[in-house]
Amino acid sequence: DTAVSQTPKYLVTQMGNDKSIKCEQNLGHDTMYWYKQDSKKFLKIMFSYNNKELIINETVPNRFSPKSPDKAHLNLHINSLELGDSAVYFCASSPQGAGGYTFGSGTRLTVV
Amino acid sequence: KQEVTQIPAALSVPEGENLVLNCSFTDSAIYNLQWFRQDPGKGLTSLLLIQSSQREQTSGRLNASLDKSSGRSTLYIAASQPGDSATYLCAVVGRDSWGKLQFGAGTQVVVTP
């Protein structure tokens, strides 16, 4: 199946821990993104990578560090997790230019 | 700064009625506009993508129009079914946004049998 896949689907962890979320796309898209959906269900961009280069860093705390080993993968590492980081994190990809987005199914992060 | 607004925030209709969902955006300099559907606890499913040069797109019972000059898009869903119950999200990619999707807050739709 051609898709954007992210793991894990659910992540429950304690404050202060470090965690990673992985994302892979097999659509051949050049650009990958991380979006955050908060408790009010509003979606906002965090990062964008184009061919492994960081394009957008949308005033996200530096505890969040994206890593793109190749253009098909974009992982998100979060250090020193805080209660306020609890949210659903979506990975997405799009082709170069004005193509449409494809989203992953999301990772629900709960910090306790 | 681009702002995207969706009205109404929630909508409940009986099965068989047509649905009309509205989306407005403040900056008409966009590459495209995309409509998504999100089911509770699930990811986003792309419904329709309208490029800035297009006026509308259709897929089955779904039709989306785009009036770039007035900053509006409308999603029509014909003959609604209970399976259409979901949150519908509108998002635009601005010309100076490096591909960033700017989302509206969504319209929550309930179709009652």
Side-chain angles (χ1 to χ4, degrees), chain B residues 1-21:
Chain B
K1 181 187 170 187
Q2 178 75 270
E3 292 190 5
V4 180
T5 304
Q6 291 186 245
I7 293 173
L11 186 59
S12 181
V13 299
E15 183 177 2
E17 267 198 21
N18 297 331
L19 285 163
V20 180
L21 309 179

Side-chain angles (χ1 to χ4, degrees), chain B residues 15-52:
Chain B
E15 183 177 2
E17 267 198 21
N18 297 331
L19 285 163
V20 180
L21 309 179
N22 296 300
C23 172
S24 61
F25 47 95
T26 54
D27 185 350
S28 61
I30 64 170
Y31 273 123
N32 58 48
L33 182 146
Q34 199 164 356
W35 283 94
F36 295 91
R37 168 187 171 137
Q38 186 173 28
D39 293 283
K42 304 287 186 182
L44 279 72
T45 300
S46 177
L47 298 174
L48 290 167
L49 169 68
I50 312 177
Q51 302 294 348
S52 62

Side-chain angles (χ1 to χ4, degrees), chain A residues 9-10 33 35 37 41-45 48 55-56 58 90 98-106 108, chain B residues 4 31-32 34 36 38 41-46 49 51 89 93 97-105:
Chain A
K9 190 169 175 64
Y10 299 97
Y33 312 83
Y35 279 79
Q37 188 171 42
K41 308 297 183 186
F42 194 72
L43 274 153
K44 192 171 180 184
I45 194 166
S48 162
I55 302 296
I56 297 174
E58 196 83 352
F90 286 99
Y101 271 63
T102 301
F103 277 80
S105 57
R108 183 175 295 275
Chain B
V4 180
Y31 273 123
N32 58 48
Q34 199 164 356
F36 295 91
Q38 186 173 28
K42 304 287 186 182
L44 279 72
T45 300
S46 177
L49 169 68
Q51 302 294 348
L89 295 157
V93 175
S97 70
W98 294 93
K100 177 175 74 174
L101 265 177
Q102 188 75 34
F103 279 91

Side-chain angles (χ1 to χ4, degrees), chain B residues 76-96:
Chain B
Y76 301 90
I77 303 177
S80 62
Q81 303 168 359
D84 294 329
S85 299
T87 296
Y88 291 82
L89 295 157
C90 162
V92 298
V93 175
R95 288 201 172 271
D96 296 329

